[in-house]
Amino acid sequence: MESLERQRHDSSAQPARRPRVRKNVTAAIAEDICAERYASGSTLPRENDLCEIYGVSRTVIRESLKVLESKGLVRGKPRIGTSVCDKDDWNILDQDVLEWMGPHIADFDILGSILEARRTIEPAAAEYAAERATAREIADLENAWQQMRDSGDDPESFTEADVTFHKVLLGASHNQVFRRLSSAMHAGLKYALHASNVAAYSRDEAIAVHGELVEALRLRDRDAARTCAHRMLDLAARDLAVERRPDKGRKTNPETRRSAASRR
Amino acid sequence: MESLERQRHDSSAQPARRPRVRKNVTAAIAEDICAERYASGSTLPRENDLCEIYGVSRTVIRESLKVLESKGLVRGKPRIGTSVCDKDDWNILDQDVLEWMGPHIADFDILGSILEARRTIEPAAAEYAAERATAREIADLENAWQQMRDSGDDPESFTEADVTFHKVLLGASHNQVFRRLSSAMHAGLKYALHASNVAAYSRDEAIAVHGELVEALRLRDRDAARTCAHRMLDLAARDLAVERRPDKGRKTNPETRRSAASRR
DNA sequence: CGCCTTAAATCATCATACAATTATGTTGCC
DNA sequence: GGCAACATAATTGTATGATGATTTAAGGCG
């Protein structure tokens, strides 16, 4: 983050380095918004001030603001300035927005909404996948499952495999809406399961159910697929509940959250 | 649309009018992409050429392209140019994207996906709404229902009321993911029901079921709410099927199907 | 013939200028 | 003294030209 430094107007003859930073600036502004450094509803600084704050030209600032505006984070009006929109207007189904929220996602209590949505959608997606999954997709699921099984005690590897498993599953539903939702599910898994997988309350059980789901898809058994998805989500819900219980989850200190943030 | 004319370099002393056109240009490029005037996978013209094509400066072109890129329609690389992404990468859950697709939405066979998603999501949303809907939200639903009932033979008014009904319903679920999906459902309703409502095969039945759903929410009856949502969607599915039947729907010419088939 | 170097084309950024818009302050009238 | 119309200033939106950065492609050399 601090790598964004202003190095202009040196007034020396140096050849004026110009790295490509628009995406970084966009992410930086978005993060500052997610971190509430710019309060919701308030108008953030003038474009010329933003230039100095982030050390880039107005071109970059403006292109970044337009992107943020297109995702519902801010709204600009001529002469007034750009103001931070209410969180209800944010495009929380957009992958970039979810990544920008990153660890702050827990502050927006949308993890519950995502889990609810998963409980609604994934069983249906599993059913459709039982009808429509290609051999290739089933093989990809199998691979992800094996990676889960062989991940040993490495929670990173386990979570990664889990995420790809569910992503492939949603894709195998061959429903374009469900497919698009995989980024949201991804975020939900990544940040909800990050800590709960460390505890690994239901790791073995989860692996078993995932394997059963793959088998159900092979047999084109819609009911079994739906049931497996339901059981998987019951496990996830249980983990999330345990995670949220303050007297049990001993790993729920801010430290975990912060370190997850500094990654990326 | 034709109001986008180039009027630069008049080399006369006129004060150079500069209307605010960025949003229009963005929509124009997006529409050209949706209309396949720029083929999927191909790279569209250089930025300087786009300036002349759309009659605006590079500033506007670039800001527009960044917005389109942020929604997955195009992807730009230095020196290569910006190329049109595959439709699978488009953010079809984004409201702007859906509006840009507009009538072309039928060419992307996502209406089926949207209907499937509605059949999965709306019953669940109705259940949650039965638990959580506020008095205000129930009143809004009632209003939308009355407008449906009183719309007489005006299909425009009926469709509009129907759309707001389902939008409010998804909002009343108080699930942020479902809420965000209302724009997609909106598009699905708007373009799928547009024609079917003209025929109005099940208009009276639909009105009755909508009313029952409102009553179920009042009584906080989750099962009844879910059942009503299911029945509503059965009606919608029947209408869509009727609409698609070539011997009945007189608007289903092979042209539509071919372009949908040429996809991927 | 192939690998490395060089060159050109295009995007990315910077800087500046001006138009359009609107909040704010000022002035004059009642 | 208060209110309304007007003038002013500040900020965003657009235009334009210049230059750095990057990748494709051509060209030279072994």
Side-chain angles (χ1 to χ4, degrees), chain B residues 54-115:
Chain B
Y54 295 95
V56 291
S57 77
R58 240 184 102 211
T59 307
V60 173
I61 289 291
R62 280 187 56 79
E63 288 179 1
S64 294
L65 289 180
K66 290 313 162 209
V67 169
L68 294 181
E69 184 172 5
S70 83
K71 294 178 187 298
L73 267 69
V74 301
R75 189 170 42 165
K77 274 197 240 174
R79 156 72 198 177
I80 305 300
T82 71
S83 55
V84 180
C85 289
D86 191 84
K87 294 171 192 76
D88 290 340
D89 297 328
W90 294 12
N91 242 328
I92 59 167
L93 301 184
D94 185 285
Q95 185 163 17
D96 294 329
V97 174
L98 287 165
E99 280 174 11
W100 293 331
M101 295 204 300
H104 302 286
I105 196 172
D107 305 341
F108 294 71
D109 60 293
I110 69 176
L111 287 180
S113 290
I114 289 179
L115 183 61

Side-chain angles (χ1 to χ4, degrees), chain A residues 20 22-23 62-63 66-67 69-71 78 88-94 96 108-110 113-114 116-117 120-121 124 128 132 174-181, chain B residues 20 22-23 62-63 66-67 69-71 78 88-94 96 108-110 113-114 116-117 120-121 124 128 132 175-181 264:
Chain A
R20 309 294 168 85
R22 207 227 359 123
K23 279 193 143 121
R62 280 188 58 78
E63 288 178 1
K66 289 313 161 208
V67 169
E69 184 172 5
S70 82
K71 294 179 187 295
D88 291 339
D89 297 328
W90 294 13
N91 243 327
I92 59 167
L93 301 184
D94 186 284
D96 295 328
F108 293 70
D109 61 295
I110 69 177
S113 290
I114 290 179
E116 273 183 11
T120 300
I121 290 167
Y128 288 124
R132 306 169 182 166
H174 287 259
N175 178 299
Q176 304 194 54
V177 175
F178 292 166
R179 242 176 211 173
R180 266 291 136 193
L181 286 172
Chain B
R20 309 294 166 87
R22 210 235 347 134
K23 279 193 143 124
R62 280 187 56 79
E63 288 179 1
K66 290 313 162 209
V67 169
E69 184 172 5
S70 83
K71 294 178 187 298
D88 290 340
D89 297 328
W90 294 12
N91 242 328
I92 59 167
L93 301 184
D94 185 285
D96 294 329
F108 294 71
D109 60 293
I110 69 176
S113 290
I114 289 179
E116 273 183 10
T120 300
I121 289 166
Y128 288 124
R132 305 170 183 165
N175 178 300
Q176 304 194 56
V177 176
F178 293 166
R179 243 179 208 170
R180 265 292 136 193
L181 286 172
R264 188 233 297 272

